[in-house]
Amino acid sequence: MKHKLLALDAGHPGQMDALEEHFEIIRPSKPDPERVIRDHQNDIKAITTYLTPISRTLMEFLPNLEIIACGAVGYDHIDLEAIRERDITLTNTPDVLTDDTADVALLLLLNVARRAVEGDAYVRAGLWKNGALPLGNCLAGKKAGIVGLGRIGQAVAQRCAAFNMSLAYYGPREKPDQPHEYYSDLSAMARDCDFLILTCPGGPATKHIIDYKVLEALGSNGFLINVARGSVVKEDDLLAALSNKAIAGAGLDVYEHEPHVPEAMFTMDNVVLTPHIGSATIETRTKMGQIVADNLIAHFKGQALLTPVT
Ligand code: GLV
């Protein structure tokens, strides 16, 4: 008999096909998704999610839940305390999305610094004949401060170095194997940087660490780039800093209340907005889906997991 698997979202390309052979997939469909879950309450042994939150309440509702296979590298949307208490297994999808996410950080940085999105709109609106676009900002020789020098942060650093930028990083501890300048004080790093790039995990430890004080330190010539989690930035403070020009601009892929993006940003020329596309390529999402499936299959075969969260 196939184990029952609750799929909280559609999954990545190929993921459900890979799972269907091994699991009975329960999809909490409309009009009454809760009833669907209730109907299988005692049989659901596994959950898949991408960014759909998993609360303690849901876990407590499923007495035989053994494993959550998260199709993302970040798992701050899952109640970790409840997982630990119940000894539920958790897996994620690290490594495969590192390059794509770092690419998006640079995409945002280049676009906002060189006014590319603004320039595109300028050309399409037929405004070029009236005069040139205002000047942008050079990357070479500028300093990028990376918040969270993990896998993605290091990949961002590599790319910034290729643009002849100098590098610094902030995090909970210095990494002696890294050649870049370490700051234990986030505001001090922001003050010394031209670009503040967020690549740290979300969750309670990083919630709202970017507030008005840090943005003010970044200063009126500085740019904020966020490919981490929206929760890292106090969005109201960012809006205030952008509208009164306390910072020069921002490139954002993540937001505090996705998919809601503050409407005030829609009319700001100094902001580039993408809809959480860090890992959104066919190649990478396909790999992420395969990892989700392989972890689940390994778990129920009693084999070693590929990417357990420990
Ligand atoms: C996407 O944001 C991820 O954590 O994989």
Side-chain angles (χ1 to χ4, degrees):
M1 209 181 63
K2 288 180 176 177
H3 293 299
K4 288 192 183 176
L5 164 73
L6 176 65
L8 290 183
D9 42 42
H12 302 310
Q15 179 179 316
M16 291 308 164
D17 292 342
L19 286 168
E20 228 134 41
E21 199 187 317
H22 301 268
F23 297 91
E24 181 184 340
I25 300 179
I26 312 299
R27 294 181 171 86
S29 46
K30 286 179 183 156
D32 192 353
E34 283 178 12
R35 211 198 109 192
V36 178
I37 299 176
R38 230 177 8 251
D39 285 350
H40 301 278
Q41 180 182 9
N42 293 320
D43 303 325
I44 290 171
K45 295 210 167 153
I47 304 182
T48 56
T49 181
Y50 170 42
L51 294 176
T52 307
I54 301 184
S55 64
R56 169 183 289 275
T57 314
L58 177 60
M59 285 184 239
E60 284 177 354
F61 191 68
L62 305 173
N64 294 308
L65 180 64
E66 292 179 21
I67 178 167
I68 295 173
C70 173
V73 66
Y75 43 83
D76 52 303
H77 51 303
I78 300 171
D79 189 322
L80 296 180
E81 218 178 88
I83 287 218
R84 265 182 233 118
E85 282 170 23
R86 282 269 303 276
D87 210 15
I88 292 167
T89 298
L90 175 65
T91 63
N92 67 341
T93 61
D95 300 318
V96 290
L97 47 67
T98 299
D99 283 323
D100 277 357
T101 308
D103 288 350
V104 171
L106 268 293
L107 175 158
L108 290 168
L109 193 156
L110 277 161
N111 270 288
V112 73
R114 299 302 306 271
R115 299 178 177 266
V117 172
E118 202 184 332
D120 179 272
Y122 194 78
V123 172
R124 288 171 199 255
L127 295 172
W128 192 5
K129 62 182 177 308
N130 301 343
L133 191 72
L135 300 178
N137 292 268
C138 177
L139 269 58
K142 296 284 173 63
K143 184 163 175 171
I146 298 179
V147 177
L149 197 67
R151 285 172 287 233
I152 296 171
Q154 288 172 41
V156 168
Q158 206 180 37
R159 285 156 174 75
C160 289
F163 284 95
N164 293 329
M165 301 174 81
S166 65
L167 283 147
Y169 70 101
Y170 164 83
R173 66 196 73 80
E174 187 166 4
K175 301 195 167 187
D177 60 326
Q178 291 300 318
H180 315 300
E181 186 182 2
Y182 174 67
Y183 284 78
S184 58
D185 181 327
L186 181 50
S187 290
M189 183 174 81
R191 191 165 301 115
D192 289 351
C193 282
D194 304 286
F195 296 90
L196 191 62
I197 308 176
L198 312 183
T199 55
C200 55
T206 57
K207 188 171 163 72
H208 289 173
I209 58 171
I210 306 297
D211 57 11
Y212 200 85
K213 183 171 74 85
V214 174
L215 295 168
E216 213 171 22
L218 179 60
S220 56
N221 293 320
F223 292 89
L224 178 76
I225 307 297
N226 191 4
V227 293
R229 282 290 183 264
S231 61
V232 178
V233 179
K234 224 171 172 178
E235 210 160 69
D236 287 342
D237 285 12
L238 174 59
L239 275 170
L242 284 166
S243 39
N244 61 27
K245 310 272 188 246
I247 63 172
L252 307 172
D253 188 45
V254 289
Y255 310 86
E256 237 188 314
H257 307 289
E258 292 174 15
H260 171 78
V261 177
E263 271 185 38
M265 289 184 182
F266 296 173
T267 51
M268 292 177 172
D269 287 339
N270 56 342
V271 179
V272 174
L273 308 168
T274 51
H276 203 144
I277 57 165
S279 64
T281 64
I282 295 162
E283 297 86 344
T284 294
R285 286 284 170 84
T286 303
K287 286 181 198 156
M288 290 163 75
Q290 192 62 51
I291 292 172
V292 169
D294 288 347
N295 272 314
L296 287 167
I297 293 163
H299 173 82
F300 287 101
K301 281 188 174 166
Q303 296 169 349
L305 300 169
L306 283 78
T307 51
V309 173
T310 49

